[in-house]
Amino acid sequence: ELAKKYPVGLVLVGGLSFSGITTTAQKLMLECSKVQPAVKAIDVSNRYDYNDAEADGVISIDVARDPYKRLIQAAMASDPDIIFLGEIRDKAKGNWSTQIALSGTKAIAEVHAYSVASTLERYCEMTDKAQLPGLQSVLVISQFLLTLKDGKKVAIREFLALEPALLQA
């Protein structure tokens, strides 16, 4: 609920591989579109599993067919409200996520990390720190899977909303 109502800015979803961070980030984008049907959401993560009947109004662009810079420029040219970037693995994608958020578009991205603190640390390593104070808001969701005695898995999430100036520290 908190993430759906969060203002324009950067949303980072962190966790370990196979902990459901991609699913959480995709569902967050879908829920934002459901809460406000006029929201234009663009998925540039190259995740075909997200393109299902539930994903009305979500445009998916194939990263494999287009260099990333042109892809982001094309996505931004359509004046989206939300862009789902998928996993941030390098400085180029980290810097694009910051640029998108600075433009007034919400950027949702994944960072593979163990906790909120390590998600922020890894993100800061992969972006230009001088740009971070210009962001309006940052929301970090960190999650891991807990296996119950009956074998059922439950996602445990930790949320942190912070002022961008704190990212420079």
Side-chain angles (χ1 to χ4, degrees), residues 26 29 41-47 50 58-61 84:
Q26 291 170 336
M29 186 174 77
I42 296 183
D43 181 347
V44 295
S45 68
N46 198 25
R47 305 277 189 194
Y50 185 63
V58 176
I59 303 162
S60 184
I61 302 172
F84 174 53

Side-chain angles (χ1 to χ4, degrees), residues 55-71:
D56 291 335
V58 176
I59 303 162
S60 184
I61 302 172
D62 183 359
V63 175
R65 295 188 204 146
D66 206 348
Y68 201 71
K69 181 178 179 180
R70 283 186 26 219
L71 175 68

Side-chain angles (χ1 to χ4, degrees), residues 151-162:
K152 187 176 180 180
K153 295 189 184 231
V154 178
I156 306 296
R157 294 185 184 100
E158 176 183 17
F159 296 87
L160 174 68
L162 56 104

Side-chain angles (χ1 to χ4, degrees), residues 15-27:
L16 298 176
S17 295
F18 304 108
S19 65
I21 59 175
T22 299
T23 301
T24 297
Q26 291 170 336
K27 291 298 180 181

